[in-house]
Amino acid sequence: MSPVDTLDDRITGEPIVARPLDYIELGREEPTKLGPLTIDPARRLVANTDGREVVLEPRIMQVLVALLRARGRIVSRDELQASVWRGVVVGEDSLNRTIGQLRRLTQGLANGVFEIETITKVGYRLMATAADAERAEALTGSGERGRLTLPARPSIAVMPLKNLSGEGDQEYLADAISEDIVTALSRWRWFFVIARHSSFAFKHEDIDPIRVGGELGVRYLLTGGVRTSGSRVRVTVQLIDAISGSNLWAEKFDRQLVDLFALQDEVSEQVVAAIEPAMLLGEARRLERKPPADFSALDCFYRGMWRFNQVSTPAHEEALALFREAVRLDPELVLGHVGVSRALYGRVLMAESEDIATDLSEARATARTAIRLDPREATAHFAASGAELYLGAHATALADAKLALSLNPNFAYAHYRLGQVLIFAGRPEEAIAPLQRSLSLSPCDPQLWLVCETLALAHYQTKDYETAAELARGAERSAQGAVSAVLVASLARLGRLDEAADAMARIKDNPTGSRRTIAAPYASAADRDHIRHGFHLAREALAQRG
């Protein structure tokens, strides 16, 4: 058994040293509690206080016991082989499958009570999280609040919004909006959301972000307030880095106090849509201070998404390399597979692929792997829908897009994908609403031009060429001067042939600058020919200039 080097814990400053573990005989192990879970190794039983329970396979329970024994310390692969497989060397696939099944337990019955973190080139450790007060008490050993270890995933607590109106009967509105935000955020599976009753324990306290973040074991806090005045209501929110105390994002929402349920839905949707990219950017910035050699699989994913959203060929290729490294480090990381899939079919969309068939086939395969690992991950179905669309499987692409939305209605890209698939499936009238919804949920998205151009294409295919041209010009502005292909066809259809010829000339002068949102295959030849004829008219106008 090879020793494990001492590592510095980047959060507490304390050394982490894995201790030797003997072979684990389940029949000799005593039951133990971990928050709401009772873990009974002899019976191979994990039971939740809500009545749910599951019986684990022997080796999965042995690995869980080994990680529990380590009490938050790193356990190397060699030590796991010694304590579970009696020192017999097993392939990486066997251990990866076992760890993957434990991770699925945390997403199901355990519901975030603990996480299994992969320590690159070293091993694994079990990290207990703080989803409720009972769990916090179990971790600290008393009823007093203590500082909790941060989970591997980014974590956020929504603090109860304060009632700033000075009227007690408005307290319910602040609480209701807070609860709606917690519910909406919980649909994002790539980060961890503290349960409502834990964050509401701080309802009547002044919030010191660093202290509260430490006590709840989170990296981010959402704070704010609600003020009503007559028929109007203002909601203010701030996303705070609970490690440094800095403000990452802030916004205010002024609305008419007419339909309370509609108000709650609208505010929570807008807040959640803004928080997700803000947290992703926060994770990327956090990694700027971390050497790439120390990146975990999750680190590679976050850094890869940051590069992917910069929408350039070098950034795109670097993102793909980071996503592939995430999968190599942790084959069970769903997000890593999602990233690989999106980067591969993104090559095709941006006309960067050297082998379209190979890239699309791999994109579909990796997306399906992500779905197999976690069928409830909305981004996995989103990625699968994109690959299927570009392969011409419109019915499958539509089913995956709808499933992504059912899993996370606040996922702006899922609304975009549904609209995109509907266009190429021959239903452009139905595509307009989800595309507009995508724009409203994410008005500052780095790939805003893509949504605008796709919405322009939907209007073009309904023969509303005026609206299509207007939206396509907006897409050009968002894309920093790249020529919109939809604009060319729309202007030609409007009879504005000089303008269409000018736009076509710009494409010819800079062919790589054209944004190819029409690259997916149409289900109907008539729809395909409709857009092609617009280009034909523009080419003829340009040719007549000589």
Side-chain angles (χ1 to χ4, degrees):
M1 183 184 305
S2 63
V4 177
D5 296 334
T6 300
L7 302 176
D8 290 330
D9 187 320
R10 295 181 180 274
I11 298 170
T12 64
E14 298 176 357
I16 303 177
V17 184
R19 296 176 298 178
L21 299 170
D22 299 325
Y23 178 74
I24 294 171
E25 297 183 26
L26 295 178
R28 295 176 178 269
E29 296 290 327
E30 294 294 325
T32 186
K33 291 278 290 181
L34 183 61
L37 299 181
T38 298
I39 300 169
D40 187 342
R43 297 166 61 199
R44 309 201 318 272
L45 181 72
V46 179
N48 199 312
T49 53
D50 62 10
R52 293 178 297 157
E53 59 183 36
V54 65
V55 175
L56 302 181
E57 296 176 17
R59 279 187 173 141
I60 296 174
M61 178 58 82
Q62 285 176 298
V63 170
L64 178 57
V65 170
L67 295 171
L68 283 167
R69 279 186 185 181
R71 301 177 64 85
R73 307 293 182 178
I74 297 172
V75 181
S76 72
R77 286 173 171 263
D78 287 345
E79 288 177 303
L80 285 175
Q81 288 180 358
S83 57
V84 176
W85 284 272
R86 291 185 182 272
V88 175
V89 177
V90 296
E92 286 194 6
D93 287 348
S94 297
L95 185 52
N96 288 338
R97 279 196 297 271
T98 304
I99 294 295
Q101 288 173 296
L102 268 181
R103 284 186 171 132
R104 284 192 283 278
L105 172 68
T106 72
Q107 297 166 355
L109 178 141
N111 196 26
V113 175
F114 63 87
E115 292 187 351
I116 309 299
E117 183 182 18
T118 300
I119 310 300
T120 306
K121 298 180 182 179
V122 180
Y124 305 93
R125 65 174 169 181
L126 183 146
M127 300 184 69
T129 55
D132 55 40
E134 178 184 2
R135 202 172 307 163
E137 181 175 341
L139 286 168
T140 59
S142 70
E144 299 179 2
R145 292 171 181 161
R147 187 169 188 89
L148 298 175
T149 302
L150 292 176
R153 287 182 292 165
S155 46
I156 184 172
V158 179
M159 309 312 295
L161 300 181
K162 294 187 179 299
N163 172 24
L164 304 176
S165 303
E167 301 176 13
D169 60 353
Q170 295 299 321
E171 192 79 16
Y172 77 94
L173 180 58
D175 287 352
I177 293 176
S178 303
E179 292 175 12
D180 283 353
I181 293 173
V182 171
T183 301
L185 280 175
S186 67
R187 293 179 179 270
W188 290 99
R189 294 168 71 80
W190 71 265
F191 55 80
F192 180 75
V193 185
I194 294 297
R196 169 204 179 277
H197 54 272
S198 286
S199 54
F200 268 62
F202 295 85
K203 181 174 175 61
H204 301 294
E205 296 186 19
D206 291 330
I207 301 300
D208 175 352
I210 296 177
R211 177 183 65 83
V212 172
E215 291 178 2
L216 289 175
V218 296
R219 291 183 194 167
Y220 302 97
L221 293 180
L222 185 76
T223 66
V226 178
R227 185 187 303 277
T228 58
S229 178
S231 62
R232 297 200 55 86
V233 61
R234 169 173 289 184
V235 180
T236 58
V237 285
Q238 303 87 36
L239 182 65
I240 300 171
D241 185 325
I243 306 300
S244 66
S246 60
N247 195 325
L248 299 177
W249 167 83
E251 189 57 270
K252 65 180 179 182
F253 303 89
D254 290 305
R255 299 291 187 272
Q256 286 289 336
L257 192 58
V258 179
D259 185 336
L260 286 180
F261 291 115
L263 170 69
Q264 290 171 217
D265 288 345
E266 182 182 3
V267 171
S268 64
E269 288 169 357
Q270 293 292 322
V271 169
V272 170
I275 286 175
E276 190 267 342
M279 286 179 62
L280 197 57
L281 180 59
E283 290 301 295
R285 287 174 175 169
R286 181 176 62 84
L287 292 173
E288 289 177 354
R289 302 184 295 273
K290 189 173 183 178
D294 294 341
F295 279 10
S296 68
L298 273 172
D299 291 341
C300 288
F301 169 75
Y302 300 138
R303 190 69 175 178
M305 281 305 303
W306 177 71
R307 293 294 283 155
F308 183 76
N309 283 329
Q310 290 176 7
V311 196
S312 71
T313 300
H316 208 148
E317 291 304 309
E318 183 181 338
L320 178 57
L322 285 163
F323 293 144
R324 289 195 188 280
E325 178 66 4
V327 171
R328 187 190 70 79
L329 292 173
D330 185 358
E332 301 287 338
L333 181 66
V334 174
L335 294 174
H337 294 281
V338 171
V340 170
S341 179
R342 291 183 63 182
L344 286 170
Y345 72 70
R347 276 179 172 174
V348 177
L349 171 65
M350 301 296 292
E352 297 168 354
S353 175
E354 296 181 359
D355 188 339
I356 292 176
T358 298
D359 281 346
L360 289 179
S361 295
E362 186 183 353
R364 175 167 57 186
T366 53
R368 292 295 164 201
T369 297
I371 292 171
R372 177 178 56 78
L373 290 170
D374 186 358
R376 296 192 58 77
E377 174 56 64
T379 61
H381 292 281
F382 163 78
S385 179
E388 297 287 1
L389 171 62
Y390 284 92
L391 284 165
H394 297 88
T396 308
L398 187 59
D400 273 312
K402 288 181 176 179
L403 187 50
L405 266 182
S406 71
L407 292 169
N408 189 351
N410 298 301
F411 186 14
Y413 282 174
H415 288 277
Y416 162 75
R417 176 70 76 234
L418 177 60
Q420 183 192 28
V421 174
L422 286 169
I423 292 171
F424 290 97
R427 297 155 62 180
E429 296 88 353
E430 299 174 52
I432 292 171
L435 289 168
Q436 289 175 332
R437 182 77 175 132
S438 178
L439 284 172
S440 68
L441 282 173
S442 190
C444 300
D445 193 273
Q447 297 191 42
L448 184 66
W449 63 268
L450 182 58
V451 185
C452 288
E453 172 126 329
T454 306
L455 181 56
L457 181 60
H459 282 281
Y460 179 93
Q461 292 292 13
T462 64
K463 301 184 179 180
D464 181 1
Y465 305 125
E466 195 70 53
T467 302
E470 181 182 349
L471 288 165
R473 286 201 187 278
E476 283 194 347
R477 289 191 292 271
S478 298
Q480 298 178 340
V483 185
S484 167
V486 179
L487 178 63
V488 174
S490 299
L491 292 172
R493 287 286 188 173
L494 288 168
R496 293 153 60 177
L497 296 178
D498 284 342
E499 295 177 67
D502 288 340
M504 180 63 76
R506 285 189 285 136
I507 288 181
K508 288 182 173 294
D509 290 341
N510 182 21
T512 60
S514 176
R515 300 299 189 175
R516 293 180 56 191
T517 59
I518 59 170
Y522 281 97
S524 164
D527 290 337
R528 180 196 62 209
D529 292 342
H530 181 215
I531 189 74
R532 284 183 175 177
H533 187 62
F535 291 129
H536 176 71
L537 293 173
R539 287 193 190 96
E540 282 191 336
L542 181 60
Q544 288 174 6
R545 288 182 176 182

